[in-house]
Amino acid sequence: MKYEAVIGLEVHAQMRTESKIFCGCSTRFGSEPNTQTCEICIGMPGVLPVLNKKALEFAIRTGLAMGCTISAYSRFARKNYFYPDLPKGYQISQFEHPICEHGHVDVAVDGETKRVRITRIHMEEDAGKNIHEGGGNYSFVDLNRAGVPLMEIVSEPDIRSPKEASEYMKKLRTILRYLGVCDGNMDQGSLRCDANVSVRPVGQKEYGTRAEVKNINSFRFVEKAIDYEIRRQIRVVEEGGKVVQETRLWDSAKGITESMRSKEEAHDYRYFPEPDLVPIAAERRWIDELRASLPELPDAKKVRFVSAYGLPEYDADLLTSEKAVAEWFEEAVKAGGQPKAVSNWMMGDLMKLLNGDNREIGDCPVGPERLAGMLKLIDKGTISGKIAKTVFEEMYRSGKDAEQIVREKGLLQISDESAIEKTVDELIARHPAEVERFRGGEEKLLGFFVGQAMKAMKGKANPQVLNELLKKKLS
Ligand code: ADP
Ligand code: MG
Ligand code: ZN
């Protein structure tokens, strides 16, 4: 029997606000434990939370970008559970009245567009962090993270494969970063997800029983954890068993999911309306302002990059995956770079150098005008495309512009026929056997001669002139 997987993701995104969601403490990552705390976020009795307006704005912006309805009435709820990293004994979250509902995100998977519906986006506070180190018979708790604002983005069970799940998650990250509402830093936990997974025989309408896999913090693990979970469930069913509804933990070291606890139901949390916070009725006018101020989003940008610059979909997709990359591209084109050439250099040499240094495009030592300047030198025939690779790397390392480097290093392309002819004559004299074979019909040997000539001329020969001369002399 063939099975189909059904997947829904609950993604937690840490909002990039300066201060926490219900108090003025800083949200900065990596400080000394418990230095960013106050009476409110450590849960002292008798204090009152106040909603951070920026957090509300970020949640609404996200909802608008994902085509959600923004609720005219929204409110917070207490989600009760006991854990040492949750000093109040409840988490302030949203339950019946989330701020955003009924949106969607389009995801490209293997050349096809797949729509994943968003059930809801709600706001909540993060918990602290338990630290089990030191070796003694005790643990520590760091409450710097307690009260940091989160958005939980819940999808409908529209996802059908591990790959779709990771692409969906990547798309969410891209959108959140475009909006500037989350830094998307997965290794710092700014973006994490729980995956709900079930399987059913192909053709069956009803969903199977799901397990919820927690603790997934990278795109690779989204795929691996879900893939493992699908196989596990199919095995259970094929062996005549039943999948039980439960919460499982992804163990990235072992590459497996393990049962953690039976699935809790909403009533286990004894949700009730948060009495210390007033309901939210966001003004329409404000929402309209936020909608009008949304940046051009990745899907729209991609379509425009294809139509306005004549780029292949593949290029447009890569160049629009980060807003800063897209802006860099457009500046280089504005400075006179031919779009496809700019794209090639960005996706090739530029990305390679940046990745090698673990740098973002924002910290790139070569500015877009500099790349455009170098492309002009190639177009004019001042330097060869091959030499340009050296020039580009030198621009990147030294911060100098292309013309200066070409001048200082004597990298001007040699187009003068007599200079090239000398090299070609020498080559032909030195390789009589190859010349013979070429004349006998082994035309691919032309590449050998081109390579040798380029080597002799340190890559500076004008390739067109060189090719023509070689063909003439060899025939
Ligand atoms: P909770 O996990 O808090 O009980 P929900 O019941 O609303 O919340 O479901 C959470 C997630 O589980 C959603 O992303 C939803 O799409 C997904 N989901 C619900 N039913 C299934 C199912 N049978 N198989 C896979 N995912 C499911
Ligand atoms: Mg859940
Ligand atoms: Zn605080």
Side-chain angles (χ1 to χ4, degrees), residues 268-400:
D268 294 325
Y269 288 121
R270 294 172 291 122
Y271 277 104
F272 65 88
E274 166 62 66
D276 289 346
L277 284 159
V278 290
I280 303 158
E283 268 185 82
R284 282 293 121 187
R285 220 187 37 209
W286 185 45
I287 294 172
D288 290 341
E289 273 169 33
L290 293 177
R291 184 183 282 114
S293 74
L294 288 181
E296 181 181 36
L297 291 165
D299 286 345
K301 212 184 264 302
K302 182 181 162 189
V303 169
R304 185 168 63 79
F305 273 27
V306 170
S307 65
Y309 300 116
L311 290 178
E313 294 252 335
Y314 177 84
D315 296 43
D317 205 35
L318 269 174
L319 293 173
T320 56
S321 63
E322 289 283 345
K323 191 155 152 256
V325 171
E327 284 167 358
W328 204 100
F329 166 82
E330 293 206 276
E331 276 175 44
V333 172
K334 217 186 277 164
Q338 193 271 326
K340 181 58 182 153
V342 171
S343 170
N344 288 347
W345 279 91
M346 286 183 73
M347 297 191 309
D349 297 61
L350 179 63
M351 288 303 164
K352 206 166 79 201
L353 288 166
L354 288 175
N355 288 342
D357 291 352
N358 228 330
R359 274 195 181 155
E360 303 257 351
I361 194 128
D363 310 318
C364 182
V366 181
E369 317 76 31
R370 291 262 161 107
L371 173 61
M374 189 191 79
L375 293 177
K376 272 182 211 151
L377 294 185
I378 303 176
D379 286 346
K380 281 195 290 188
T382 312
I383 55 172
S384 67
K386 189 155 188 269
I387 286 291
K389 285 188 165 293
T390 314
V391 173
F392 188 78
E393 180 155 359
E394 186 66 22
M395 289 203 298
Y396 183 92
R397 304 267 174 241
S398 69
K400 295 176 184 169

Side-chain angles (χ1 to χ4, degrees), residues 20 22-26 36-42 146:
K20 294 186 180 180
F22 301 122
C23 64
C25 293
S26 167
Q36 291 163 194
T37 54
C38 71
E39 300 86 334
I40 292 173
C41 55
I42 65 175

Side-chain angles (χ1 to χ4, degrees), residues 10 79 152 154 194 196 210 212 214 263-264 269:
E10 294 165 273
K79 181 179 181 179
E152 181 170 329
V154 182
D194 303 338
N196 295 269
R210 77 186 141 121
E212 179 171 343
K214 290 211 177 270
K263 169 93 181 100
E264 55 292 289
Y269 288 121

